Amino acid sequence: MKRLFLIMLGIVFFMTACNKEEAVKEEKWEENSPTFTSEYGEMFGKKGSIGIIGSKSITENGQKWMWHFWGTEQIADKEWEVKAFMQGKEAINPITFKDERLIPRGNEINGHARSAVIFPESGRWKLKVYIDGKYFDELIVNITQA
């Protein structure tokens, strides 16, 4: 009886793991970083969350990006990081240089920072942003190599 229970429990765990794996594979990676205008100029990203001034066309030497973060939390003077994912590949850190801490800008932007980014290849990249070690938001960007 005990053995049957363990076998059934193992089957349930296996089926749950398979369902989760299928969900990850089926996740749609549609670009969700349209261009919009703010008082600081044209940006791409998610208006009201993350805005980036810079080009999605990256040279072999990289590209300068100015990041802007909105939010209800106080994020000024916090450290931040970005992890970039391409489907089926290991995560990378696309940032080669950055301001370590976020600085508020104006009345609405809770934090902004300068950076330089580089990506190893063209394609659709998911950028996950963490502020003070906590997940903030993410966006999907089509990067092209110039």
Side-chain angles (χ1 to χ4, degrees):
M1 185 69 169
K2 191 176 189 179
R3 185 174 180 191
L4 180 62
F5 174 75
L6 290 174
I7 291 171
M8 294 295 285
L9 187 62
I11 291 171
V12 169
F13 283 127
F14 177 76
M15 291 177 67
T16 303
C18 287
N19 287 339
K20 285 182 182 178
E21 191 172 308
E22 286 176 20
V24 170
K25 288 179 185 174
E26 293 174 8
E27 180 181 11
K28 293 184 180 178
W29 283 40
E30 295 178 20
E31 181 168 9
N32 65 356
S33 57
T35 301
F36 61 92
T37 303
S38 81
E39 64 183 293
Y40 298 104
E42 189 172 275
M43 302 182 181
F44 67 89
K46 289 183 175 178
K47 192 172 185 175
S49 180
I50 301 172
I52 300 169
I53 296 175
S55 175
K56 297 178 190 178
S57 183
I58 310 293
T59 70
E60 64 184 31
N61 297 322
Q63 174 70 349
K64 293 179 182 178
W65 281 1
M66 175 72 81
W67 298 74
H68 298 79
F69 301 102
W70 292 263
T72 56
E73 313 177 25
Q74 180 61 301
I75 59 174
D77 203 38
K78 304 281 185 189
E79 292 184 6
W80 64 290
E81 67 178 315
V82 177
K83 293 180 183 175
F85 300 84
M86 184 175 250
Q87 279 185 315
K89 299 196 177 184
E90 295 282 324
I92 66 161
N93 177 0
I95 308 260
T96 59
F97 157 83
K98 70 175 183 161
D99 292 327
E100 291 298 321
R101 297 193 176 273
L102 298 174
I103 301 165
R105 187 173 194 188
N107 294 327
E108 293 183 20
I109 296 175
N110 299 85
H112 86 282
R114 299 169 300 161
S115 78
V117 296
I118 196 160
F119 293 85
E121 62 185 283
S122 295
R124 198 163 283 165
W125 289 86
K126 180 182 286 190
L127 307 178
K128 291 188 175 189
V129 177
Y130 298 84
I131 297 176
D132 208 24
K134 297 176 189 161
Y135 174 81
F136 180 76
D137 203 353
E138 64 187 48
L139 52 107
I140 298 173
V141 181
N142 283 327
I143 297 294
T144 56
Q145 299 292 327

